[in-house]
Structure formats: C-alpha cells, structure tokens
C-alpha cells in the first residue's frame, strides 16, 4: 500500500485503551471502519469500534484473523510482543513501522539511536548485572535512576538511587531484567513535541506543550510551553530529525528536558501521546485524526493552535471532582472505564483561553 | 430522573444516521454508553455505539427491550411513530419531551405554536381538501408552497405554486395527506440558532449561522451570520422563548428568515441540527456534547465561538472532491455510509478562519 486508503477501509488498532478509543473515533470521523485488538473484554476502545477481537497477543489464529480483516494496523502502545508483529506484518502494513517500535521499546536502544542522531540525552549506561551498576554509578554519579530497558511506563520499573548505598536495593527491584542507569537531569521544565509524518514524508508538529508529572504520571500539559523562540525551534527540529531518521509514519510524542544548557531528549513514544490530548480542544485537527490521516496515507491536516490550553489528567479519585469540572467551563473527556483505581487514567479535562 | 446520570449510564438514541452517530461519540466522550435503535442494519451510528437494536419502530418487544436497557432516550429525527414513544415513555424519560416532538412534527401545529408565542412566521393556512387550497391561495397569493403537514424533510413532500393554475397539480402531489399552504417569503437570508436548554432550565445558544440551501438541502452554514446586533439578539431571544415554552431539554435548531421587516421563524427541529455542525470546529463544546449534557441532566457547557467557520455539506457526488478537501486545510467529517447516492448527505467539511 503506497496509496491512501479510501473511506470504507478498515484500520486495525492494537490496544483498546483510551488512546485506541480516541483513535477509533477519529478514524470513524474520516469514514474508516475500526477493528480493535485487545485481550481485555472491557477495553474502552471496543465500544466505539465496529469490531473488536478479545484475545491474547500470543493467540496466533486470532492475530491472523485480525490482520486479514483490516487494511492497515496501528497501535496505541509500544510493548507489543515482536512475534505478534511478525505475524501481522506478513499480512498487512504496520504503521508506525517496526524500527520505531523496536527503538522506543528499549530504553538503551532509544538513547543510542538519539545519540547517533546528534541529539543530547541524560547520561546513561547499560546495567546488565550488578557489577555494571557500580561501574555506571562511578561515572554517572548520584542521584540517578535505574530503569528496566523494556516494559516500563508511568513510573513503573524504575528505582531512584540517591547514594551509592542504594544501588543494591535498586538493582533488586529490576528483578534480573536488563536495565539502564540514567543520570539525574537538573531540568527547568519538561516539554513535549507531538509531531506527525505522513506517508509522503511531510512533517508537521504541534506547538510544544509543557508537562508536569506527579508520581511518575503526567498531571498537566500547558500550551504554549514557556520556551524561547530558539528552544521552541530546536524542539520541533529534534522531533523532525527523529521522525525522518525512522522513516516514521504517524504521530510521535517526543519528551524533552529544558536545561540551562539547552534541550535533552527524555524519551520518545511511537504513538499518540497523553501530552497531546490538548490538541482536541486547541486545534482544528487533533493528534488522533492526524495519526489516522498519516497511517492511512492521507495528507496531514491543519494542526495550527487556535487557543491557549491547559490539559489536566483525571487520575483515580480525581473523578470525585467531576461534578465541579462539568460546571466550570472545562471540556471533560472520559474514557468509559467502569472501575476507578488509584493511578488509573480515567479521563482528562481541557480548559482554553482564547488566543 | 431529576438528577444527572452518572458516567457508565446508558443513553438510548432513536435513529442511527449521522446525527445519531455524532451524538453517540459525544456521549462516549462523556463516559456514557450508547444504545442505538434503527431498523437499518447499516445505520452509521451503530458502529460507534456499544449496542444497537435493528428493528422496526412498530416492533413492541424490541422497543420495550431497548427502553429497559437505557437510562434516558433521545432521538435524531422527529418523525418517530407516537405509539413507539408511548411505549418507551412508560419505561424511561424521553428528552426532548413529547410536546416538542408533537409540535415540530406537524407544520400546522408548529406555526400555531409560534404564533401563540408572539413570534412571526410566513403567512399560512391549513389545506385539508382541495377546496381549502383555493381559499388559502385567495388570501395568501402566489407564489406559495404547499407542504404536507407531517413527514417532510430536505425538500420532500413540498410543491411550489407559482400561479393559481398550479394548484391542482400541487394538491395532487400531497397524495391526500393534510397539508399547509405557506406564503412565499422574500427573505434576504436564512439564519439558524442552535440553542440548548438544560434540565435545570438554563439556556445557552450558539452564535447564529447563515445558511444556504440548494434544491431544498442545506449546502453551507457560515458563522458569524450577517446580522445586525439587534437581529442577532432577536434571533437568540426567539429561540430561548421557544425552548422555555416547550419546557425543552436538549439542543434545538431554529431556522429564521431575515426580511426587510425583521425575523420570521421558518421551522424548528427538536434535535441537533445540520446547521450546527460548525460547532465541532468552532467551539470547545459542540452541539452534540451540549445535547448529551442536557438530556443526561449535566450542566450545559461552554459554547462560545473561537473562530469564524464555514461548514459545507458533502452531498452525493461531492465525495469526488474528497482528495482535494483532505489537502486544503479543511476538517473533513464523514458519516461512514457505504453507498454514495444523489442528494445523500455523506459528510461535511469545516474550514476555520481564526477569529
């Protein structure tokens, strides 16, 4: 497939969480059918999709049937078992591509890739065994953060090391999995660029947003970010360089640290990104539609920002604030999750200040 | 039910066309489940709803099961058989209410209602039999339009009478159904107000839009409409008076003619309205979410306009222009209809000029 899919074609989405759900609605608005694959029978995306397969990512028959029923496959998370991707890719294109997935799912590969591109990151070192950690700490110093190379998200699979004495406990927390030690970055703020690249190679980026995390989970994104014109341009160019190097198709989230010495790339996510949810309130074409446009081969849309926006995640008990939020002029977007749990993303709100 | 429904409750929607589809996605964004009732197995709304019943509006068992599975019922069209509504209303609230439906589904009742409210309309007279028509034409004159009292939409069930000689043919076109003769209005333009009223009685209106029809079908809506501040205020106040008089809950479309002597009300539609589609591109809270907020008992949202917008319907072969529209900065919204037919609304596009 090098031509655009036509309305009536079917987009397959691996993962049926809130990102898959918002992608599914964006695909519907463009006239595409959607087939969601998610093991969870209560996956939020399933109820706004035409079809859903609830099966394990190791279920080869289910994967094959899924791949055979769709015209392109995209995904909402990066930790999809490679064997599942092999099987799907034999039938139908996967966008964004495997290289983007492989690079971003392993923190060490990701950092190496970014360095090879000439982009700066926090200092880092591979930690495969306990001896590596002592050596890495000697170079990088403390405080530092030990992270599993794969499968971590929202602060999971991470351990802070405040002094060399903490090394043993942190290493134990990795549970024997290969890890990476990252030096602590004294950053002024974190920003992210939500950028898209089309099948035709064109690149478009949304205005950078400024992120605040709490407990490892994104709390708010504010646009515009407090960035000098020079740094704003650096941020967007860094994202564009990454997309081009990966021959990327789709939307990517690129998190950056703003430091006294310029920008460092924190991490990349080869998918729509929580820090881009503000686009649904601040832009004509939001990140979800932009992603669908890219993966089906349509031209990228107009992502210019028409308002200043603050996006706030509704996490767990934040849902108690719902009655007030529905009254105060916010736009409330809920994910249809039945059960409220601590740390669970239940929805988000956006507030705009007309620009 | 006088309290707001909580996320996880289910909204029932009678009618699964494009309006039902956009309502379904708005309900999902607020955390509600959706059950669509539509005889058509390919109803566009069904694929973005959690549940769909495909049965006739005369199928009492299906209607009862539908009503029993939802917490409130709303609708996307006004010609629902009253017997079906009786059956549903015995189980669950219908919003907007029966009075709004009864008034708007009969052009004669609607005009009478508007007059009793002190609002102006085109001159009109009831035409039950051929003799009535001659009498009505003597008073109203030509040109005039003969319309069936019920079941007309998008120019169907209407016949223009250019001179008294055309009366017989026009009457024959009504097929023996009760009709209404409406005098021709020399209007400068047509505008519409999309207004909402909440369960708490609060009223909010979007900025009036200016409509252009072709062949009886809406072609474009442009906001802001060309209206003096006085007429803009008159238009919004007329809509509010109508909503209050009907004890209305939900979004209504009120079409008005702008004439040299002020505003005339053309017709009212007790539902989200094609001429309000621009709100999805021009407002934080669009008409679909506003309607869902109202019918589930939530506070109305912020409908302030942040941009100038032109909405254009994509009708039948307009779909051939899709490749160009996807490239030119428009927002394209398609309804997922498989078959392109002349006169069929396939989607719409919105273009914004940042205000």
């Amino acid at each position: 497939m090098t031509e655009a899919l036509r309305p009536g074609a079917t987009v397959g989405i691996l993962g049926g969480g809130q990102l898959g759900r918002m992608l599914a609605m964006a695909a519907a608005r463009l006239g595409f059918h959607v087939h969601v694959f998610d093991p969870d029978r209560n996956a939020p995306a399933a109820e706004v999709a035409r079809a859903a397969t609830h099966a394990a990512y190791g279920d080869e028959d289910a994967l094959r049937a899924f791949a055979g029923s769709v015209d392109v496959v995209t995904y909402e998370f990066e930790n999809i078992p490679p064997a599942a991707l092999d099987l799907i890719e034999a039938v139908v294109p996967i966008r964004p591509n495997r290289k983007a997935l492989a690079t971003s799912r392993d923190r060490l590969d990701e950092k190496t890739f970014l360095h090879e591109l000439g982009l700066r990151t926090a200092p880092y070192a591979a930690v495969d065994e306990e001896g590596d950690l002592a050596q890495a700490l000697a170079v990088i110093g403390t405080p530092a953060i030990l992270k599993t190379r794969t499968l971590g998200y929202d602060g999971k699979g991470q351990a802070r090391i405040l002094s060399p004495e903490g090394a043993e406990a942190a290493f134990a927390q990795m549970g024997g999995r290969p890890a990476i030690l990252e030096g602590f970055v004294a950053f002024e703020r974190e920003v992210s660029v939500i950028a898209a690249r089309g099948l035709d190679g064109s690149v478009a980026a949304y205005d950078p947003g400024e992120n605040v995390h709490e407990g490892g989970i994104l709390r708010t994104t504010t646009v515009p970010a407090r960035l000098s014109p020079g740094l704003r341009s650096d941020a967007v160019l860094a994202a564009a360089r990454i997309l081009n190097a990966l021959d990327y198709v789709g939307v990517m989230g690129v998190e950056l640290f703003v430091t006294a010495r310029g920008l460092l790339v924190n991490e990349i996510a080869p998918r729509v990104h929580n820090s881009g949810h503000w686009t649904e309130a601040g832009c004509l074409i939001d990140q979800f539609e932009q992603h669908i446009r890219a993966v089906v081969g349509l031209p990228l849309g107009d992502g210019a920002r028409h308002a200043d926006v603050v996006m706030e995640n509704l996490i767990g008990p934040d849902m108690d604030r719902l009655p007030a939020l529905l009254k105060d002029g916010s736009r409330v977007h809920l994910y249809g999750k039945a059960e409220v749990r601590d740390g669970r993303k239940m929805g988000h709100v956006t507030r705009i200040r007309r620009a």
Side-chain angles (χ1 to χ4, degrees), chain A:
Chain A
M1 171 186 140
T2 52
E3 296 219 324
L5 293 178
R6 301 176 67 90
T10 300
V11 175
I13 302 176
L14 294 167
Q18 61 267 20
L19 301 180
R21 177 173 162 108
M22 293 186 269
L23 287 171
M25 288 194 273
R29 290 197 306 264
L30 288 171
F32 296 101
H33 303 304
V34 172
H35 188 156
V36 166
F37 191 105
D38 193 302
D40 180 0
R41 295 217 153 261
N42 296 314
E47 71 175 308
V48 293
R50 187 193 226 190
T53 296
H54 299 295
Y57 288 106
D59 183 334
E60 298 191 357
D61 290 341
L63 288 166
R64 230 174 259 121
F66 168 75
S69 76
V70 302
D71 298 290
V72 66
V73 165
T74 189
Y75 46 86
E76 62 149 20
F77 72 118
E78 47 269 56
N79 292 318
I80 304 151
L85 297 167
D86 290 342
L87 207 148
I88 290 167
E89 202 169 29
V91 182
V92 69
I94 298 175
R95 296 192 181 127
N97 63 31
R98 297 291 298 275
K99 188 175 172 193
L101 268 172
T103 303
S104 64
R105 78 189 291 275
D106 184 314
R107 294 177 194 282
L108 184 63
D109 291 349
E110 183 179 305
K111 288 269 193 302
T112 306
F113 163 76
L114 294 168
H115 272 262
E116 287 171 354
L117 269 188
L119 298 170
R120 293 167 57 219
T121 70
Y124 67 95
V127 175
D128 291 330
E129 34 192 273
E130 196 155 0
D132 297 338
L133 181 53
Q135 212 171 343
L137 281 169
V139 177
I140 291 171
T142 54
I145 307 172
L146 190 63
K147 301 176 175 178
T148 55
R149 281 176 57 174
T150 61
L151 295 173
Y153 66 96
D154 283 353
K156 288 163 193 161
Q158 304 195 2
R160 277 170 183 253
I161 303 178
L162 300 177
S163 69
E165 292 73 48
E168 196 177 339
F171 187 80
Q173 264 188 262
M174 300 298 107
R177 285 172 294 175
I180 176 175
L181 185 73
E182 296 181 10
F184 180 80
V185 175
F187 60 87
E188 294 165 12
R189 55 187 65 103
E190 191 209 286
V191 299
S192 57
V193 177
I194 308 298
R197 186 166 176 275
L199 198 56
D200 60 1
S202 61
V203 171
Y206 292 98
D207 255 6
E210 180 168 337
N211 303 325
V212 174
H213 288 81
E214 276 176 25
I217 303 179
L218 183 66
R219 182 79 239 169
T220 62
T221 300
T222 302
V223 280
R226 288 170 297 166
L227 279 176
S228 66
L231 285 185
R232 172 170 287 117
S233 162
D234 285 353
V236 170
L237 290 174
R241 199 183 302 178
I242 292 166
L243 294 175
N244 286 327
L246 292 170
D247 194 21
Y248 194 83
V249 174
V251 163
M252 172 179 278
V254 179
E255 292 182 10
L256 303 128
F257 293 131
V258 181
T259 76
R261 294 171 47 234
L263 298 173
L264 303 185
V265 181
N266 179 30
E267 63 177 37
I268 64 176
R271 52 171 169 78
V272 289
H273 196 258
N274 195 166
S275 69
H277 290 1
W278 68 268
T279 57
E280 73 176 359
C283 303
L284 184 64
I285 305 295
D286 69 19
Q287 66 165 345
F288 304 101
E289 174 168 342
Q290 197 72 298
H291 185 79
I292 296 294
R293 279 177 171 250
V295 302
V296 302
L298 291 174
L300 298 180
D302 175 4
R305 182 171 62 81
H306 59 63
D308 294 352
V309 187
V310 178
M311 186 287 305
E312 182 189 2
N313 274 333
L314 298 179
I315 301 167
D318 287 341
M319 288 293 278
D320 297 339
R321 293 165 46 213
L322 204 51
L325 293 167
L326 285 160
K327 249 186 269 189
D328 77 357
S330 299
R331 176 174 164 140
V332 173
H333 190 141
L334 301 182
Y335 307 146
K337 297 178 182 177
E339 200 190 332
V340 178
R341 288 198 296 262
D342 277 351
R344 190 178 206 199
K345 291 176 179 168
M346 304 300 296
H348 64 269
V349 294
T350 38
R351 297 184 190 86
I352 71 174
R353 286 181 314 216
R354 285 159 188 96

